[in-house]
Amino acid sequence: MIIRKSPSELEVMARSGKIIADMHEMLAAAVRPGISTGELDAMAEDYIVRHGAVPAFKGYGGVGTRMPFPGTLCASVNDEIVHGIPSPETVLDEGDLIKIDAGCVLEGYYSDSACTWIVGGEDAVAPEVAELVRVTREGLWAGLLAARAKQRIGDISAAVEAVGVRHGYGIVREYVGHGVGRALHEDPQVPNHGRAGRGPKLATGRVLAIEPMFNLGTEETVTLDDEWTVVTADQHLSAHWEHTVAITPDGPWVLTARSDETAHPLAEPDRIPVQLVGA
Ligand code: MG
Ligand code: MG
Protein backbone atom coordinates (compact mmCIF):
# COMPACT_ATOMS: atom_id res chain seq x y z
CA MET A 1 0.00 0.00 0.00
CA ILE A 2 1.36 3.41 -0.96
CA ILE A 3 0.67 5.95 1.77
CA ARG A 4 0.05 9.61 1.01
CA LYS A 5 1.15 12.25 3.49
CA SER A 6 -0.81 15.34 4.48
CA PRO A 7 0.82 18.80 4.32
CA SER A 8 1.30 18.75 8.10
CA GLU A 9 2.98 15.34 7.89
CA LEU A 10 5.26 16.66 5.14
CA GLU A 11 6.21 19.55 7.39
CA VAL A 12 7.41 17.10 10.06
CA MET A 13 9.20 15.03 7.41
CA ALA A 14 10.95 18.19 6.20
CA ARG A 15 12.24 18.83 9.71
CA SER A 16 13.36 15.20 9.95
CA GLY A 17 15.12 15.59 6.60
CA LYS A 18 16.81 18.81 7.63
CA ILE A 19 18.43 17.10 10.61
CA ILE A 20 19.95 14.47 8.31
CA ALA A 21 20.99 17.10 5.74
CA ASP A 22 22.76 19.18 8.36
CA MET A 23 24.35 16.05 9.85
CA HIS A 24 25.76 15.19 6.41
CA GLU A 25 27.25 18.66 6.11
CA MET A 26 28.90 18.29 9.52
CA LEU A 27 30.31 14.88 8.58
CA ALA A 28 31.50 16.09 5.16
CA ALA A 29 33.61 18.67 6.96
CA ALA A 30 35.00 15.98 9.28
CA VAL A 31 35.94 13.41 6.63
CA ARG A 32 39.73 13.38 6.32
CA PRO A 33 42.63 10.92 6.26
CA GLY A 34 43.06 9.35 9.71
CA ILE A 35 39.48 9.58 10.93
CA SER A 36 37.66 6.30 11.52
CA THR A 37 34.13 5.45 10.47
CA GLY A 38 33.50 4.69 14.14
CA GLU A 39 34.33 8.31 15.01
CA LEU A 40 32.03 9.58 12.26
CA ASP A 41 29.29 7.32 13.60
CA ALA A 42 29.62 8.69 17.13
CA MET A 43 29.46 12.26 15.79
CA ALA A 44 26.36 11.41 13.78
CA GLU A 45 24.53 9.80 16.69
CA ASP A 46 25.35 12.71 18.97
CA TYR A 47 24.11 15.17 16.35
CA ILE A 48 20.81 13.38 15.72
CA VAL A 49 20.05 12.89 19.41
CA ARG A 50 20.94 16.50 20.26
CA HIS A 51 18.39 17.61 17.67
CA GLY A 52 15.59 15.62 19.28
CA ALA A 53 15.52 12.73 16.82
CA VAL A 54 16.42 9.05 16.94
CA PRO A 55 18.89 7.29 14.61
CA ALA A 56 16.81 5.25 12.18
CA PHE A 57 19.26 2.50 11.31
CA LYS A 58 20.57 1.57 14.76
CA GLY A 59 18.91 -1.66 15.85
CA TYR A 60 17.28 -2.16 12.44
CA GLY A 61 16.74 -5.47 10.75
CA GLY A 62 17.98 -8.20 13.06
CA VAL A 63 16.65 -11.31 11.31
CA GLY A 64 17.60 -14.93 11.88
CA THR A 65 21.34 -15.04 12.56
CA ARG A 66 21.81 -11.45 11.44
CA MET A 67 22.43 -9.00 14.27
CA PRO A 68 20.43 -5.76 14.38
CA PHE A 69 22.39 -3.03 12.57
CA PRO A 70 24.79 -1.64 15.18
CA GLY A 71 25.50 1.81 13.70
CA THR A 72 23.81 5.16 13.30
CA LEU A 73 25.52 5.37 9.91
CA CYS A 74 25.96 2.88 7.18
CA ALA A 75 29.60 3.67 6.39
CA SER A 76 30.77 1.87 3.26
CA VAL A 77 34.32 2.29 1.96
CA ASN A 78 35.55 1.82 -1.63
CA ASP A 79 34.18 -1.49 -3.00
CA GLU A 80 31.59 -1.62 -0.23
CA ILE A 81 28.30 -0.54 -1.83
CA VAL A 82 25.94 -0.20 1.13
CA HIS A 83 25.32 -1.27 4.74
CA GLY A 84 28.98 -1.04 5.85
CA ILE A 85 29.27 -1.24 9.65
CA PRO A 86 31.10 1.72 11.21
CA SER A 87 34.17 0.76 13.24
CA PRO A 88 37.06 2.43 15.07
CA GLU A 89 39.28 0.06 13.10
CA THR A 90 38.13 1.37 9.72
CA VAL A 91 40.43 4.37 9.33
CA LEU A 92 40.05 6.46 6.19
CA ASP A 93 42.97 7.00 3.83
CA GLU A 94 43.56 9.67 1.23
CA GLY A 95 41.75 8.64 -1.95
CA ASP A 96 39.17 6.41 -0.27
CA LEU A 97 35.52 6.69 -1.24
CA ILE A 98 33.37 6.88 1.88
CA LYS A 99 29.65 6.39 1.43
CA ILE A 100 27.70 7.71 4.39
CA ASP A 101 24.04 6.70 4.57
CA ALA A 102 21.87 7.83 7.47
CA GLY A 103 18.31 8.35 8.57
CA CYS A 104 16.50 9.60 11.61
CA VAL A 105 13.05 9.47 13.12
CA LEU A 106 11.50 12.73 14.29
CA GLU A 107 8.04 12.69 15.85
CA GLY A 108 7.46 9.31 14.21
CA TYR A 109 8.58 10.29 10.70
CA TYR A 110 11.67 8.99 8.92
CA SER A 111 14.18 10.59 6.59
CA ASP A 112 16.92 8.84 4.61
CA SER A 113 19.88 10.28 2.69
CA ALA A 114 23.29 9.12 1.49
CA CYS A 115 26.43 10.87 0.20
CA THR A 116 29.70 9.70 -1.32
CA TRP A 117 32.76 11.72 -0.34
CA ILE A 118 36.30 11.39 -1.70
CA VAL A 119 38.78 11.48 1.18
CA GLY A 120 41.26 14.23 0.32
CA GLY A 121 39.11 15.57 -2.51
CA GLU A 122 38.92 14.88 -6.23
CA ASP A 123 42.67 15.39 -6.72
CA ALA A 124 43.31 12.34 -4.52
CA VAL A 125 41.76 9.92 -7.03
CA ALA A 126 41.97 9.02 -10.71
CA PRO A 127 39.67 11.06 -12.97
CA GLU A 128 37.39 8.08 -13.59
CA VAL A 129 36.79 7.71 -9.87
CA ALA A 130 35.83 11.36 -9.45
CA GLU A 131 33.59 10.96 -12.48
CA LEU A 132 31.86 7.92 -10.96
CA VAL A 133 31.01 9.95 -7.87
CA ARG A 134 29.81 12.94 -9.88
CA VAL A 135 27.76 10.91 -12.35
CA THR A 136 26.06 8.86 -9.63
CA ARG A 137 24.94 12.15 -8.11
CA GLU A 138 23.67 13.20 -11.52
CA GLY A 139 21.70 9.96 -11.63
CA LEU A 140 20.09 10.87 -8.31
CA TRP A 141 19.11 14.32 -9.55
CA ALA A 142 17.76 12.96 -12.80
CA GLY A 143 15.51 10.74 -10.68
CA LEU A 144 14.50 13.58 -8.38
CA LEU A 145 13.47 15.71 -11.37
CA ALA A 146 11.21 12.87 -12.55
CA ALA A 147 9.46 12.62 -9.17
CA ARG A 148 6.34 14.50 -10.23
CA ALA A 149 2.60 13.90 -9.95
CA LYS A 150 1.12 11.90 -12.84
CA GLN A 151 4.50 10.38 -13.68
CA ARG A 152 5.17 6.76 -12.76
CA ILE A 153 7.87 5.02 -10.72
CA GLY A 154 9.27 3.74 -14.02
CA ASP A 155 9.92 7.33 -15.11
CA ILE A 156 12.19 7.82 -12.10
CA SER A 157 13.88 4.46 -12.65
CA ALA A 158 14.45 5.09 -16.36
CA ALA A 159 15.86 8.56 -15.71
CA VAL A 160 18.35 7.18 -13.17
CA GLU A 161 19.28 4.23 -15.36
CA ALA A 162 19.88 6.38 -18.45
CA VAL A 163 22.61 8.32 -16.65
CA GLY A 164 24.39 5.16 -15.53
CA VAL A 165 24.05 3.42 -18.88
CA ARG A 166 25.50 6.41 -20.73
CA HIS A 167 28.70 5.94 -18.71
CA GLY A 168 28.79 2.15 -18.87
CA TYR A 169 28.52 1.69 -15.12
CA GLY A 170 27.21 -1.36 -13.34
CA ILE A 171 23.82 -0.25 -12.00
CA VAL A 172 23.05 -2.10 -8.78
CA ARG A 173 19.68 -3.87 -9.03
CA GLU A 174 19.53 -5.77 -5.76
CA TYR A 175 19.13 -2.65 -3.61
CA VAL A 176 16.52 -0.06 -4.49
CA GLY A 177 14.87 3.14 -3.37
CA HIS A 178 11.59 3.05 -1.47
CA GLY A 179 8.69 4.93 0.03
CA VAL A 180 9.45 6.72 3.32
CA GLY A 181 7.11 7.87 6.09
CA ARG A 182 6.16 6.35 9.42
CA ALA A 183 8.42 3.46 8.42
CA LEU A 184 11.92 3.63 6.95
CA HIS A 185 10.91 1.39 4.06
CA GLU A 186 7.39 1.77 2.68
CA ASP A 187 5.90 0.86 -0.66
CA PRO A 188 6.63 1.31 -3.47
CA GLN A 189 10.09 0.09 -4.37
CA VAL A 190 12.02 2.55 -6.55
CA PRO A 191 14.46 0.55 -8.70
CA ASN A 192 17.42 2.22 -10.38
CA HIS A 193 16.49 0.63 -13.68
CA GLY A 194 13.17 0.40 -15.44
CA ARG A 195 10.94 1.55 -18.23
CA ALA A 196 9.38 4.98 -18.48
CA GLY A 197 5.61 4.96 -18.19
CA ARG A 198 5.54 1.71 -16.16
CA GLY A 199 4.93 0.99 -12.51
CA PRO A 200 2.82 2.68 -9.82
CA LYS A 201 1.58 6.17 -10.54
CA LEU A 202 3.04 9.04 -8.58
CA ALA A 203 0.70 11.42 -6.79
CA THR A 204 0.92 14.45 -4.57
CA GLY A 205 1.73 13.51 -0.99
CA ARG A 206 3.92 10.54 -1.80
CA VAL A 207 7.40 10.53 -0.27
CA LEU A 208 10.20 8.49 -1.81
CA ALA A 209 13.86 7.76 -1.19
CA ILE A 210 15.69 7.69 -4.52
CA GLU A 211 19.13 6.12 -4.25
CA PRO A 212 21.26 5.14 -7.24
CA MET A 213 24.28 2.91 -6.66
CA PHE A 214 26.64 2.85 -9.64
CA ASN A 215 29.73 0.63 -9.91
CA LEU A 216 32.88 1.06 -11.99
CA GLY A 217 32.62 -2.64 -12.77
CA THR A 218 29.64 -4.95 -13.00
CA GLU A 219 26.36 -4.69 -11.07
CA GLU A 220 27.01 -7.96 -9.20
CA THR A 221 27.03 -7.79 -5.42
CA VAL A 222 28.18 -10.02 -2.57
CA THR A 223 27.16 -9.81 1.10
CA LEU A 224 30.01 -10.35 3.58
CA ASP A 225 29.96 -12.77 6.52
CA ASP A 226 28.78 -10.00 8.86
CA GLU A 227 25.45 -10.38 6.95
CA TRP A 228 25.26 -6.62 6.42
CA THR A 229 28.11 -5.27 4.33
CA VAL A 230 27.38 -5.43 0.61
CA VAL A 231 30.40 -5.24 -1.70
CA THR A 232 30.92 -5.35 -5.45
CA ALA A 233 31.59 -8.91 -6.58
CA ASP A 234 34.51 -7.74 -8.77
CA GLN A 235 35.95 -5.42 -6.06
CA HIS A 236 35.61 -2.36 -8.25
CA LEU A 237 34.56 0.93 -6.68
CA SER A 238 30.95 1.91 -6.05
CA ALA A 239 29.19 5.24 -5.40
CA HIS A 240 25.82 5.93 -3.76
CA TRP A 241 23.75 9.09 -3.38
CA GLU A 242 20.28 9.31 -1.87
CA HIS A 243 17.65 11.90 -1.07
CA THR A 244 14.18 11.76 0.42
CA VAL A 245 11.77 13.63 -1.86
CA ALA A 246 8.10 14.58 -1.51
CA ILE A 247 5.84 14.91 -4.54
CA THR A 248 3.94 18.19 -4.28
CA PRO A 249 1.65 20.19 -6.58
CA ASP A 250 4.67 22.41 -7.23
CA GLY A 251 6.96 19.52 -8.16
CA PRO A 252 9.57 17.58 -6.20
CA TRP A 253 10.49 18.84 -2.75
CA VAL A 254 13.88 17.45 -1.69
CA LEU A 255 13.43 17.06 2.06
CA THR A 256 17.08 16.15 2.70
CA ALA A 257 18.65 18.85 0.47
CA ARG A 258 21.90 20.24 1.85
CA SER A 259 22.71 23.94 1.75
CA ASP A 260 24.61 23.62 -1.57
CA GLU A 261 21.54 22.08 -3.20
CA THR A 262 18.08 23.26 -4.09
CA ALA A 263 15.12 21.88 -2.16
CA HIS A 264 12.79 22.66 -5.09
CA PRO A 265 14.62 21.69 -8.27
CA LEU A 266 11.83 22.70 -10.63
CA ALA A 267 11.41 26.08 -9.00
CA GLU A 268 15.13 26.78 -8.87
CA PRO A 269 16.70 24.84 -11.75
CA ASP A 270 19.80 27.02 -11.85
CA ARG A 271 20.63 26.02 -8.29
CA ILE A 272 21.04 22.32 -9.08
CA PRO A 273 24.73 21.88 -8.29
CA VAL A 274 25.43 19.18 -10.82
CA GLN A 275 25.63 19.31 -14.58
CA LEU A 276 22.72 17.10 -15.56
CA VAL A 277 23.70 15.07 -18.56
CA GLY A 278 21.14 15.46 -21.31
CA ALA A 279 18.91 17.70 -19.20
MG1 MG B 1 19.68 5.35 2.99
MG1 MG C 1 17.07 4.30 1.54
Side-chain angles (χ1 to χ4, degrees):
M1 185 180 58
I2 302 174
I3 302 164
R4 294 172 75 153
K5 280 80 182 177
S6 69
S8 61
E9 288 179 295
L10 291 185
E11 186 269 328
V12 179
M13 293 193 75
R15 286 192 283 119
S16 179
K18 172 92 166 89
I19 292 169
I20 287 301
D22 290 348
M23 179 218 72
H24 272 302
E25 290 194 37
M26 175 197 70
L27 295 181
V31 165
R32 62 178 185 277
I35 198 166
S36 72
T37 59
E39 287 171 88
L40 294 172
D41 190 66
M43 291 171 66
E45 178 165 359
D46 177 67
Y47 189 90
I48 290 169
V49 170
R50 266 193 294 118
H51 287 80
V54 176
F57 299 173
K58 199 165 194 173
Y60 183 90
V63 177
T65 60
R66 185 171 77 173
M67 65 177 165
F69 192 79
T72 290
L73 303 178
C74 291
S76 310
V77 180
N78 294 335
D79 66 327
E80 296 172 355
I81 302 169
V82 280
H83 306 163
I85 297 173
S87 165
E89 278 150 39
T90 305
V91 177
L92 298 178
D93 269 336
E94 180 120 342
D96 280 343
L97 294 192
I98 170 71
K99 284 134 279 180
I100 298 175
D101 190 354
C104 74
V105 200
L106 181 74
E107 298 167 27
Y109 288 90
Y110 284 75
S111 52
D112 191 5
S113 178
C115 303
T116 300
W117 307 121
I118 303 171
V119 182
E122 288 200 355
D123 292 343
V125 293
E128 63 263 30
V129 177
E131 185 173 52
L132 171 73
V133 175
R134 183 176 56 78
V135 170
T136 307
R137 193 177 182 195
E138 288 179 10
L140 168 61
W141 280 87
L144 292 169
L145 283 166
R148 304 175 68 173
K150 299 189 176 116
Q151 302 276 93
R152 288 178 182 271
I153 290 291
D155 294 303
I156 297 174
S157 301
V160 171
E161 182 179 20
V163 175
V165 165
R166 204 173 291 133
H167 289 81
Y169 296 142
I171 301 167
V172 174
R173 289 175 178 243
E174 276 175 274
Y175 301 89
V176 297
H178 48 91
V180 189
R182 284 196 162 274
L184 178 60
H185 296 118
E186 292 184 351
D187 289 338
Q189 291 200 342
V190 187
N192 294 310
H193 66 97
R195 290 177 66 180
R198 300 291 180 88
K201 237 189 190 156
L202 305 176
T204 299
R206 303 267 164 82
V207 182
L208 304 172
I210 301 175
E211 49 178 318
M213 299 157 209
F214 291 169
N215 300 342
L216 270 186
T218 72
E219 69 194 48
E220 304 301 326
T221 72
V222 172
T223 303
L224 300 185
D225 288 343
D226 64 24
E227 297 188 74
W228 278 110
T229 312
V230 178
V231 301
T232 56
D234 58 12
Q235 299 178 311
H236 283 298
L237 295 171
S238 183
H240 178 208
W241 291 92
E242 177 183 28
H243 272 313
T244 300
V245 62
I247 295 162
T248 79
D250 306 317
W253 178 14
V254 183
L255 303 178
T256 47
R258 296 177 301 281
S259 59
D260 65 323
E261 299 175 306
T262 174
H264 300 279
L266 295 179
E268 307 171 82
D270 51 335
R271 285 202 59 223
I272 296 175
V274 290
Q275 193 65 47
L276 286 170
V277 179

Short mmCIF file of all heavy atoms in Angstrom, two decimals, residues 112 178 209 211 242, ligand 2:
data_model
loop_
_atom_site.label_atom_id
_atom_site.label_comp_id
_atom_site.label_asym_id
_atom_site.label_seq_id
_atom_site.Cartn_x
_atom_site.Cartn_y
_atom_site.Cartn_z
N ASP A 112 15.90 9.80 5.06
CA ASP A 112 16.92 8.84 4.61
C ASP A 112 17.73 9.53 3.51
O ASP A 112 17.15 10.00 2.53
CB ASP A 112 16.21 7.59 4.07
CG ASP A 112 17.12 6.41 3.80
OD1 ASP A 112 18.33 6.49 4.11
OD2 ASP A 112 16.60 5.40 3.27
N HIS A 178 12.79 3.51 -2.19
CA HIS A 178 11.59 3.05 -1.47
C HIS A 178 10.76 4.23 -1.00
O HIS A 178 11.26 5.35 -0.92
CB HIS A 178 12.05 2.24 -0.24
CG HIS A 178 13.12 2.93 0.56
ND1 HIS A 178 12.83 3.76 1.60
CD2 HIS A 178 14.49 2.96 0.42
CE1 HIS A 178 13.98 4.25 2.09
NE2 HIS A 178 15.00 3.79 1.39
N ALA A 209 12.40 7.67 -1.22
CA ALA A 209 13.86 7.76 -1.19
C ALA A 209 14.35 7.24 -2.53
O ALA A 209 14.02 6.11 -2.92
CB ALA A 209 14.43 6.94 -0.05
N GLU A 211 17.76 6.39 -4.68
CA GLU A 211 19.13 6.12 -4.25
C GLU A 211 19.92 5.27 -5.24
O GLU A 211 20.10 4.07 -5.03
CB GLU A 211 19.16 5.50 -2.86
CG GLU A 211 18.24 4.33 -2.59
CD GLU A 211 18.44 3.81 -1.15
OE1 GLU A 211 19.59 3.71 -0.71
OE2 GLU A 211 17.43 3.52 -0.50
N GLU A 242 21.70 9.52 -2.18
CA GLU A 242 20.28 9.31 -1.87
C GLU A 242 19.67 10.58 -1.28
O GLU A 242 20.30 11.25 -0.46
CB GLU A 242 20.13 8.17 -0.85
CG GLU A 242 18.69 7.93 -0.40
CD GLU A 242 18.59 6.84 0.66
OE1 GLU A 242 19.56 6.65 1.42
OE2 GLU A 242 17.53 6.18 0.73
MG MG B 2 17.07 4.30 1.54
#
